Amino acid sequence: MSEPTNLYGGDVMTTDFNAQFDKADMAWVGTSAALVWIMIPGIGLLYSGLSRKKHALSLQWAGIMAACVAGFHWFWWGYSLVFTHTSTSPFLGNLQNFALKQCYGAPSVVSTVPDMLYCLYQGMFAAITAILMVGAGCERARLGPMMVFLFCWLTVVYCPIAYWVWGANGWLAKLGSLDFAGGGPVHENSGFAALAYSLWLGKRKDPLITTGKVPKYKPHSTFYVVLGTIFLWFGWFGFNGGSTGNATVRSWYAMVNTNVAAATGGLTWMGIDYFRTGGKWSTIGLCLGAIAGLVGITPAAGYVPIYTAVAFGVVPAAICNFAVDIKNLLQIDDGMDVFSLHGIGGFVGNFMTGLFAADYVAAGDGSVAKDASARIAGGWMNHHWKQLGYQLAASCSVAAWSFVVTSILLLAMDRIPFLRIRLHEDEELIGTDFTQIGEFTYYDEETGEMKKFNDSDTEAYVIEPLRSTQARVAKLQATASRRDNDIPEVSEVTSEAGSSEKQ
């Protein structure tokens, strides 16, 4: 069956849909969508490297799963709930474009590109937010319920927040808050939702960890962390650079801001770690600092002067570095530090946008020259003092909605037996890869290790379901934790090295 011809945009048989759009803008936004997509498995690789070996594949799986679930969700009703053209609600869009109907030749909210292309681009943001958030379930979340949770979460948490900020009639957009590329909908949202996910899942099980401590393990693969960071930094040029919706000077300006913030963020975090870890130039610190800088500049990239990008790298990286310790104070096991990097980093970035936003930077896309009413008031840089209040209102609203609604959703799901959100203890000690997937990141090594637990548990695919018994849990507790804790902490290595030098 051929595509109907009476959709918005005219009759495709008699009207050239392309004539109403800017081909350079379409090419750039399409390229940016592809750049942002590569960030999704990039986050999976980053998380996989930060996890323990027996859970590594589950984090890579989560990256591809998030792309699949978010891709279907965005087609089904996600795009319509955020970017519909007819909703007058300040809270959420409608289902006018359910299953992308009436999107064939229609202009998007960015008039120079079609709905179909803008849907593709913005769908990548939904998927990025999804994988950032589910990383909080590392090493103990059941994967089946995770998929159900993610679809529901995108509907009741992500879509309302994205509409508030980017929807034509969203209340934060009407208020005047500034968020260029997702400091609130993507980073703050995923960070506070991850905090809720970590809280209700509970701490990871480790018999050698005394009561009252949050488990902490060495990353199993620094290479995966570096590779994931490479994908993220590369993709972020499309994430921020494409958020103008056009191919203008403002797009390239945003990309330079992005690069400077990432560079200074990496150096800042690594420099702080040099003093915190006894004189080591940490690769992990370099990577996490670059990501902190990228998170911080996201809401501001198309609003702030380039020289302020240094501050957007240094300040979020420094704050996020120390914010990693908050999980010990809260006693919440956020193993991937999603809250400290994205929740806190996004909040700091939004706050700083209120200080440094400048009207002339936002006008770099030519919008003000065409229509003077498009000029923004700016932030403190333009003596627009109340902009900081708008930014704080947006940040607090996003944080509260994300944490509270995510908590309600998780608690409701966990009351349904087949949607129980956490693994049994013996499944967790064996590893998510084996018990939930039946495959391994490092097949030969893992099967060799599995023989320590149970000689019958060495096949790649589990034929019989694992049964939780007290004897099985006791046996696993006696062996699993020794293997996970056989690498000394950085402080121990440092003190030993210092002793050797003195001798």
Side-chain angles (χ1 to χ4, degrees):
M1 181 182 293
S2 61
E3 186 78 26
T5 60
N6 60 346
L7 302 181
Y8 289 171
D11 186 340
V12 71
M13 298 303 181
T14 59
T15 303
D16 179 9
F17 286 173
N18 302 286
Q20 63 186 314
F21 303 121
D22 187 294
K23 291 181 173 58
D25 290 354
M26 288 195 293
W28 172 235
V29 173
T31 302
S32 296
L35 287 171
V36 178
W37 186 91
I38 204 66
M39 296 170 67
I40 305 168
I43 294 169
L45 284 168
L46 174 74
Y47 285 171
S48 178
L50 291 172
S51 71
R52 289 176 288 172
K53 189 163 48 179
K54 63 184 178 182
H55 304 284
L57 183 62
S58 67
L59 277 307
Q60 296 178 33
W61 172 93
I64 303 303
M65 178 277 292
C68 293
V69 172
F72 174 73
H73 175 276
W74 202 243
F75 149 78
W76 190 243
W77 57 34
Y79 182 70
S80 185
L81 290 175
V82 179
F83 292 106
T84 182
H85 298 281
T86 59
S87 175
T88 58
S89 168
F91 182 75
L92 187 64
N94 57 35
L95 295 179
Q96 177 205 11
N97 302 118
F98 173 76
L100 298 186
K101 66 178 182 179
Q102 299 179 338
C103 286
Y104 187 25
S108 68
V109 294
V110 179
S111 61
T112 58
V113 299
D115 255 332
M116 198 62 66
L117 174 57
Y118 202 64
C119 170
L120 174 68
Y121 179 66
Q122 284 293 337
M124 302 306 166
F125 283 63
I128 285 290
T129 312
I131 178 56
L132 285 173
M133 184 272 297
V134 297
C138 69
E139 305 190 355
R140 62 205 189 276
R142 294 177 68 218
L143 304 187
M146 180 187 287
M147 290 185 276
V148 176
F149 164 60
L150 186 54
F151 187 91
C152 296
W153 183 86
L154 285 167
T155 303
V156 300
V157 178
Y158 179 79
C159 285
I161 291 175
Y163 181 82
W164 300 351
V165 175
W166 294 321
N169 292 297
W171 74 272
L172 287 177
K174 291 289 189 182
L175 178 68
S177 70
L178 300 176
D179 192 333
F180 182 68
V186 177
H187 297 296
E188 260 196 86
N189 185 13
S190 62
F192 280 87
L195 186 68
Y197 202 6
S198 301
L199 171 65
W200 299 116
L201 278 170
K203 298 176 188 176
R204 287 169 286 180
K205 300 292 185 183
D206 190 331
L208 296 186
I209 298 294
T210 58
T211 303
K213 290 187 177 181
V214 174
K216 184 177 181 180
Y217 304 101
K218 289 293 183 183
H220 97 274
S221 174
T222 303
F223 172 73
Y224 279 173
V225 174
V226 172
L227 186 61
T229 304
I230 290 170
F231 284 2
L232 285 172
W233 196 330
F234 180 68
W236 226 294
F237 290 121
F239 193 91
N240 286 352
S243 288
T244 54
N246 51 51
T248 61
V249 170
R250 190 184 183 196
S251 301
W252 321 133
Y253 201 95
M255 292 174 71
V256 176
N257 270 337
T258 300
N259 197 58
V260 173
T264 53
L267 293 173
T268 299
W269 191 302
M270 183 179 63
I272 293 173
D273 273 3
Y274 179 84
F275 295 100
R276 297 189 76 187
T277 60
K280 306 297 182 184
W281 300 107
S282 169
T283 304
I284 301 294
L286 187 62
C287 292
L288 294 182
I291 294 170
L294 290 165
V295 170
I297 196 63
T298 293
Y303 290 123
V304 300
I306 284 177
Y307 58 86
T308 66
V310 175
F312 277 89
V314 172
V315 176
I319 292 175
C320 291
N321 183 291
F322 290 99
V324 169
D325 297 329
I326 291 177
K327 63 186 177 185
N328 297 318
L329 298 175
L330 298 176
Q331 290 294 293
I332 297 176
D333 184 11
D334 179 10
M336 298 294 108
D337 293 319
V338 188
F339 173 69
S340 57
L341 263 177
H342 299 275
I344 300 298
F347 193 100
V348 172
N350 274 326
F351 180 90
M352 293 177 66
T353 301
L355 299 177
F356 297 114
D359 55 359
Y360 74 90
V361 177
D365 56 5
S367 58
V368 177
K370 296 175 184 176
D371 179 7
S373 66
R375 181 175 180 173
I376 67 168
W380 284 23
M381 187 77 73
N382 288 124
H383 301 250
H384 185 230
W385 313 115
K386 63 182 178 180
Q387 186 62 48
L388 191 59
Y390 296 155
Q391 298 303 112
L392 289 172
S395 291
C396 293
S397 301
V398 168
W401 182 266
S402 180
F403 183 84
V404 172
V405 179
T406 302
S407 295
I408 294 171
L409 181 58
L410 286 167
L411 291 171
M413 282 184 55
D414 204 37
R415 299 301 188 271
I416 304 172
F418 60 89
L419 292 179
R420 174 176 50 85
I421 63 176
R422 180 162 182 156
L423 294 171
H424 290 301
E425 184 175 349
D426 56 344
E427 295 174 318
E428 182 183 336
L429 291 171
I430 291 172
T432 313
D433 294 355
F434 182 75
T435 59
Q436 291 281 287
I437 301 175
E439 300 161 349
F440 308 112
T441 309
Y442 311 100
Y443 181 81
D444 291 334
E445 279 191 30
E446 286 293 348
T447 51
E449 290 184 353
M450 291 306 299
K451 290 178 183 178
K452 298 177 184 177
F453 299 133
N454 189 328
D455 288 339
S456 66
D457 292 340
T458 58
E459 294 298 325
Y461 295 93
V462 182
I463 305 302
E464 295 294 332
L466 295 171
R467 303 296 183 189
S468 297
T469 64
Q470 291 298 325
R472 184 183 186 86
V473 171
K475 183 177 181 180
L476 291 168
Q477 287 178 337
T479 54
S481 191
R482 293 191 186 94
R483 182 193 58 192
D484 292 330
N485 292 277
D486 60 358
I487 303 176
E489 291 291 334
V490 171
S491 58
E492 295 173 3
V493 175
T494 305
S495 61
E496 291 175 5
S499 300
S500 299
E501 288 175 2
K502 289 178 183 178
Q503 292 174 359

